Amino acid sequence: MTTQNPKVDSILRHTQQWRDELETLRSILLECELTEELKWYQPCYTFQKKNVVLMHGFKEYCALLFFKGALLKDPERILVQQTENVQGPRQIRFTNVREIVKRKSILKAYVAEAIELEKSGAKVKLKKVSEFKVPEEFQKKLDETPTLRKAFFALTPGRQRGYLLHFAGAKQSKTRELRIERHIPQILEGKGLDD
């Protein structure tokens, strides 16, 4: 049985929406061989310091997010890919305590499989940065500014992906241009989108 983390106690105590659901999920996760931590202001459960599953609430639902969910077998067909750009993580979503209680044994089986994935060292195969579309507005800037090009390609692949997805996420060209201009100084400093 995992020990409750006081930081998680504090977060859940101040949670308004989904409190009962998150407490129920927590009780299930505490029965697994995971360490309870607080990461990104969310209860996170790790195995040998590796992230396995995170609990979080949204407007329409609360969820368990499995960091390597794309590798889980998912015999119940309950894992959800949040958006098309999410590569490894998958969620199981809930809207009430009854659903959680009904699926307790299934959830424990998914957690057990996720722990086995960590023990095995399995990794989610991520798309290469070169496989992501570079918005034409950003490509133009890269072509015009060698220092920007050099700085961008010196970033880690994850930071490069973050910028490309952020820039491409704007529907209008003008918005893409504004996003690019706003983030050029960060790129030149070697920083990621959220640094």
Side-chain angles (χ1 to χ4, degrees):
M1 183 110 174
T2 302
T3 306
Q4 291 186 352
N5 185 316
K7 292 178 182 175
V8 173
D9 290 334
S10 178
I11 289 288
L12 292 178
R13 205 172 19 257
H14 293 95
T15 298
Q16 306 255 329
Q17 189 178 21
W18 308 116
R19 182 184 299 170
D20 292 342
E21 290 79 5
L22 294 172
E23 288 284 2
T24 304
L25 288 169
R26 181 188 196 196
S27 69
I28 293 168
L29 294 171
L30 289 172
E31 293 175 11
C32 302
E33 55 181 299
L34 298 170
T35 301
E36 184 177 67
E37 300 184 40
L38 188 67
K39 295 187 177 186
W40 309 285
Y41 304 104
Q42 305 296 324
C44 184
Y45 298 82
T46 63
F47 180 79
Q48 297 179 346
K49 301 189 188 230
K50 304 277 187 187
N51 298 330
V52 175
V53 64
L54 181 97
M55 287 190 326
H56 52 169
F58 295 90
K59 186 177 180 181
E60 304 290 326
Y61 60 87
C62 66
L64 286 182
L65 178 124
F66 289 86
F67 288 89
K68 293 182 180 176
L71 300 178
L72 294 173
K73 293 179 183 126
D74 194 18
E76 302 293 324
R77 300 276 188 240
I78 56 177
L79 292 173
V80 177
Q81 184 176 1
Q82 284 176 275
T83 68
E84 66 183 58
N85 293 318
V86 172
Q87 296 182 61
R90 298 292 184 270
Q91 292 179 331
I92 301 176
R93 297 175 177 176
F94 307 95
T95 57
N96 61 64
V97 172
R98 250 182 351 273
E99 286 178 291
I100 297 166
V101 172
K102 183 178 173 186
R103 291 183 172 165
K104 180 177 179 176
S105 62
I106 293 167
L107 296 176
K108 288 178 95 171
Y110 276 58
V111 170
E113 184 184 352
I115 292 169
E116 289 306 312
L117 284 172
E118 282 308 323
K119 287 179 180 178
S120 75
K123 301 227 183 280
V124 174
K125 187 172 188 228
L126 300 175
K127 284 176 23 181
K128 294 179 181 167
V129 174
S130 59
E131 296 177 67
F132 285 88
K133 184 179 183 302
V134 178
E136 66 181 66
E137 298 85 354
F138 188 53
Q139 186 61 57
K140 183 179 176 191
K141 283 285 185 193
L142 292 174
D143 293 343
E144 292 172 350
T145 318
T147 53
L148 177 62
R149 181 179 191 78
K150 184 177 178 183
F152 180 73
F153 288 106
L155 294 172
T156 63
R159 287 178 171 170
Q160 290 177 31
R161 267 192 305 276
Y163 281 118
L164 292 177
L165 292 172
H166 180 63
F167 298 155
K171 292 185 172 100
Q172 297 180 3
S173 178
K174 186 74 176 159
T175 308
R176 285 190 293 275
E177 288 173 2
L178 289 170
R179 285 183 181 185
I180 292 163
E181 286 300 324
R182 184 176 40 212
H183 291 292
I184 286 175
Q186 277 180 264
I187 295 170
L188 292 173
E189 291 176 22
K191 294 181 177 179
L193 194 59
D194 298 321
D195 290 347

